[in-house]
Amino acid sequence: KELDDFARVASHDLKEPLRGIRNYTTFLLEDYEDKLDEDGKTKLHTLTKLSERLTTFIDDLLEMSRVGRVELQRKTCESSQIVNDVLSTLGPWLETENATVEVSASLPPVKCHAVLIDQVFRNLIANGVKYNNSDEKRITVGWRNDPEMGVVFSVKDNGIGIPERHAANVFTVFKRLHGRDEYGGGTGAGLSIAKKIIERHDGSIWLESEAGCGTTFYFALGNNEEVNNGPN
């Protein structure tokens, strides 16, 4: 509740002046850039980046808060359709990143909040591309049946991997394992939001990784019975 209250205040009282700072910085660059020396130009560009970073930080706080507020209505959803919707919107970006995503042809239906699980898949797939130095980035989305947990989804990449000592930290809110401007920047909130979504489904999320050898994220959603088909 405290996070929710803070996020609401931050949205109202901080985003508006931040938008003004960004706009006026843009106006200065458009109207006076030719009158500034390189140091002045650099400082204005830095001011723009800082305001954008803080706006993103506030948006991520709001997203964390929203996940806690949204009413969780489970419906039987085709997980293959959820993943396809994610890929249809990420398509142009995946192409520019020379990334391919292979999806199991038999992803099972599950009971979930489709919009939130869309966000989980979107985050895991995007991270697999983002934290990846390979010339050909490859993401594989699959699943298996677990005797205790039921359907377990997996998102595997051939990216930079995560050292074992840092594995637990990746789910900590606003915790980045790299410099803030490395690998596309960001606030480090994505995986913590994904974890919160999964936990709201009474499920769990974990990973297997090795530095330099890629990462596989797994997640299971609570209250999903085993499906009869074998995994592919």
Side-chain angles (χ1 to χ4, degrees), residues 65-81:
S65 174
R66 187 188 73 83
V67 170
R69 293 196 314 269
V70 67
E71 184 178 353
L72 192 66
Q73 295 181 338
R74 290 173 179 264
K75 295 181 180 179
T76 299
C77 304
E78 294 294 336
S79 56
S80 58
Q81 184 61 52

Side-chain angles (χ1 to χ4, degrees), residues 184-208:
T187 64
L191 286 176
S192 60
I193 292 173
K195 183 174 184 288
K196 188 170 184 178
I197 290 172
I198 297 302
E199 289 176 345
R200 287 219 58 200
H201 282 78
D202 302 315
S204 56
I205 183 170
W206 66 99
L207 64 91
E208 293 178 357

Side-chain angles (χ1 to χ4, degrees), residues 22-37 40-49:
R22 188 170 64 251
N23 288 342
Y24 273 100
T25 305
T26 301
F27 297 155
L28 283 170
L29 286 169
E30 289 177 349
D31 297 338
Y32 298 98
E33 187 170 16
D34 59 341
K35 300 178 182 178
L36 296 171
D37 59 18
K41 295 175 185 177
T42 299
K43 288 176 179 176
L44 279 178
H45 283 293
T46 300
L47 182 59
T48 300
K49 291 179 181 178

Side-chain angles (χ1 to χ4, degrees), residues 44-58:
L44 279 178
H45 283 293
T46 300
L47 182 59
T48 300
K49 291 179 181 178
L50 289 173
S51 62
E52 290 173 348
R53 182 175 294 133
L54 186 52
T55 300
T56 301
F57 178 85
I58 294 170

Side-chain angles (χ1 to χ4, degrees), residues 81-127:
Q81 184 61 52
I82 294 175
V83 175
N84 287 338
D85 289 344
V86 171
L87 296 181
S88 67
T89 56
L90 291 180
W93 176 68
L94 293 173
E95 187 174 347
T96 62
E97 293 292 327
N98 196 28
T100 57
V101 181
E102 180 181 348
V103 182
S104 169
S106 60
L107 290 180
V110 290
K111 290 183 178 180
C112 68
H113 189 294
V115 174
L116 294 181
I117 298 306
D118 174 294
Q119 192 170 353
V120 173
F121 276 114
R122 185 179 304 275
N123 180 275
L124 296 180
I125 292 171
N127 273 5

